[in-house]
């Protein structure tokens, strides 16, 4: 189950994206999310798909790994698609049964929304978590927030907390899977019955999960104290982050992508996204 979680996973490599400055990669991820929300018509979304294919090629990550990372959001994707198909009205009706009306515009809109969600997950995962180590991500966040340290904001501690939380998401998911498997072996049922019954069945999972999480937090705190960790004041780094020629090239690529999408939105014909 741990392999299905995109958040917090890192795939070792030496690709173009792996060698980008983590500080800039955070900004690139935000930029890419903005670009995705600018896409409004079919041609713009087709260009987004091409950009995702290019990101995959630039990362060197196996496509199967990326597809496994989409499994946790399958229900969200399905729910989003159903809502758009059954609730959005248009001019071309393709199915009618009682009070249920399905329009071609609703189907196209659902497809584009699903593509947007998939692009959001894939883009941010490839640019950030899959190609950036937690330590490098911590340093990148700290460098971005460095100006706040002048007004006594604990930037280093905040960055460390974010990175630790990100790092332990897959661990907690794996722990949950083990606990649920153990409970199923003892006769617990998590998939049948009413919603209230299934919620009550999760209590034997939540209690040991919280205990395990607090135990891990205590062990981590002890390990950090044994290594004389005292926060970011006066702390040096083994690897100092530097920008290279790859960072402006990536920025230029994203700017070109945004420009092309804006032009396609304005001049390309075809169906336009309604939300």
């Amino acid at each position: 189950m741990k392999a299905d979680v995109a958040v917090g996973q890192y795939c070792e490599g030496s690709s173009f994206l792996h060698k980008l400055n983590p500080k800039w990669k955070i900004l690139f991820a935000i930029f890419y999310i903005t670009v995705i929300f600018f896409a409004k018509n079919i041609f713009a979304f087709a260009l987004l798909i091409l950009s995702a294919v290019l990101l995959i090629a630039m990362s060197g990550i196996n496509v199967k790994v990326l597809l496994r990372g989409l499994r946790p959001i399958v229900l969200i994707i399905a729910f989003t698609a159903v809502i758009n198909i059954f609730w959005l009205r248009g001019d071309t009706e393709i199915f009618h049964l009682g009070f249920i009306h399905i329009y071609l515009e609703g189907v196209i809109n659902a497809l584009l929304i699903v593509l947007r969600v998939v692009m959001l997950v894939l883009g941010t995962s490839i640019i950030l978590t899959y190609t950036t180590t937690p330590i490098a991500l911590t340093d990148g966040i700290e460098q971005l927030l460095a100006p706040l340290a002048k007004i006594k904001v604990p930037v280093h501690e905040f960055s460390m907390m974010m990175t630790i939380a990100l790092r332990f998401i897959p661990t907690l998911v794996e722990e949950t899977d083990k606990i649920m498997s153990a409970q199923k072996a003892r006769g617990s049922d998590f998939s049948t019955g009413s919603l209230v019954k299934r919620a009550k069945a999760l209590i034997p999972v939540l209690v040991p999960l919280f205990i395990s999480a607090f135990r891990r937090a205590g062990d981590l705190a002890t390990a950090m104290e044994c290594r004389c960790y005292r926060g970011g004041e006066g702390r040096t780094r083994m690897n100092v982050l530097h920008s290279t020629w790859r960072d402006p090239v990536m920025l230029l690529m994203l700017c070109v992508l945004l420009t092309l999408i804006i032009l396609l939105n304005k001049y390309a014909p075809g169906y336009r996204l309604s939300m």
Side-chain angles (χ1 to χ4, degrees), residues 2 12 20 26 43 48 73 92 130 139 146 149 151 209 213 248 257:
K2 183 178 178 180
E12 187 175 355
L20 292 176
I26 297 171
F43 294 98
L48 278 181
I73 65 167
T92 309
Y130 277 131
D139 293 340
I151 56 175
L209 181 62
L257 178 62

Side-chain angles (χ1 to χ4, degrees), residues 24-25 53 97 103 113 131 147 184 227 233:
W24 290 106
K25 288 169 78 171
V53 173
L97 179 62
Y103 297 88
I113 291 295
T131 59
K184 288 178 181 178
R227 289 166 175 78
E233 187 175 355

Side-chain angles (χ1 to χ4, degrees), residues 3-6 64-73 121 125 130:
D4 296 340
V5 183
K64 293 182 179 179
V65 175
L66 298 174
L67 293 178
R68 283 201 302 267
L70 293 176
R71 289 180 184 176
I73 65 167
V121 176
S125 299
Y130 277 131

Side-chain angles (χ1 to χ4, degrees), residues 24-40 44-45 48 51-52 55 115-129 250 254-255 257-258 261 265 273:
W24 290 106
K25 288 169 78 171
I26 297 171
L27 298 178
F28 293 154
I30 297 173
F31 196 163
Y32 190 70
I33 292 173
T34 305
V35 171
I36 291 173
F37 279 99
F38 264 92
K40 296 296 182 182
F45 274 91
L48 278 181
S51 71
L55 283 177
L115 281 175
R116 174 176 284 177
V117 174
V118 172
M119 291 299 104
L120 284 171
V121 176
L122 277 181
T124 54
S125 299
I126 293 172
I127 295 175
L128 280 182
T129 55
M250 186 66 180
L254 289 175
C255 290
L257 178 62
L258 177 60
I261 285 180
N265 288 335
L273 192 67

Side-chain angles (χ1 to χ4, degrees), residues 17-238:
L17 291 182
H18 281 83
K19 295 179 180 180
L20 292 176
N21 189 322
K23 177 181 69 174
W24 290 106
K25 288 169 78 171
I26 297 171
L27 298 178
F28 293 154
I30 297 173
F31 196 163
Y32 190 70
I33 292 173
T34 305
V35 171
I36 291 173
F37 279 99
F38 264 92
K40 296 296 182 182
N41 63 16
I42 296 176
F43 294 98
F45 274 91
L47 184 60
L48 278 181
I49 294 175
L50 290 177
S51 71
V53 173
L54 180 60
L55 283 177
I56 294 173
M58 292 167 60
S59 67
I61 300 173
N62 194 314
V63 177
K64 293 182 179 179
V65 175
L66 298 174
L67 293 178
R68 283 201 302 267
L70 293 176
R71 289 180 184 176
I73 65 167
V74 168
L75 290 178
I76 298 175
I77 292 174
F79 177 76
T80 304
V82 169
I83 289 296
N84 281 275
I85 289 174
F86 289 101
W87 289 95
L88 186 66
R89 296 185 175 273
D91 299 324
T92 309
E93 187 177 51
I94 59 176
F95 181 79
H96 178 208
L97 179 62
F99 64 90
I100 298 176
H101 299 268
I102 298 180
Y103 297 88
L104 179 61
E105 290 80 3
V107 175
I108 297 175
N109 205 77
L111 177 61
L112 296 182
I113 291 295
V114 167
L115 281 175
R116 174 176 284 177
V117 174
V118 172
M119 291 299 104
L120 284 171
V121 176
L122 277 181
T124 54
S125 299
I126 293 172
I127 295 175
L128 280 182
T129 55
Y130 277 131
T131 59
T132 315
T133 63
I135 295 177
L137 194 58
T138 301
D139 293 340
I141 295 173
E142 187 173 354
Q143 283 193 7
L144 281 178
L145 301 180
L148 297 178
K150 296 180 179 180
I151 56 175
K152 305 300 182 181
V153 175
V155 173
H156 176 81
E157 288 75 10
F158 176 73
S159 304
M160 181 66 71
M161 285 190 299
M162 288 183 61
T163 307
I164 290 174
L166 188 68
R167 165 61 185 83
F168 276 95
I169 288 175
T171 304
L172 291 178
V173 171
E174 185 181 29
E175 190 75 22
T176 303
D177 187 45
K178 290 180 179 179
I179 295 173
M180 291 183 70
S181 298
Q183 294 293 344
K184 288 178 181 178
R186 292 173 174 83
S188 297
D189 188 3
F190 302 103
S191 58
T192 60
S194 63
L195 184 62
V196 176
K197 183 179 178 181
R198 280 183 285 179
K200 289 182 179 179
L202 289 175
I203 295 177
V205 176
L206 295 176
V207 173
L209 181 62
F210 273 105
I211 294 174
S212 174
F214 283 116
R215 185 184 296 118
R216 288 181 184 276
D219 293 342
L220 179 62
T222 302
M224 294 173 73
E225 288 179 358
C226 290
R227 289 166 175 78
C228 300
Y229 177 78
R230 294 293 183 270
E233 187 175 355
R235 189 176 179 85
T236 60
R237 295 178 177 82
M238 180 180 297

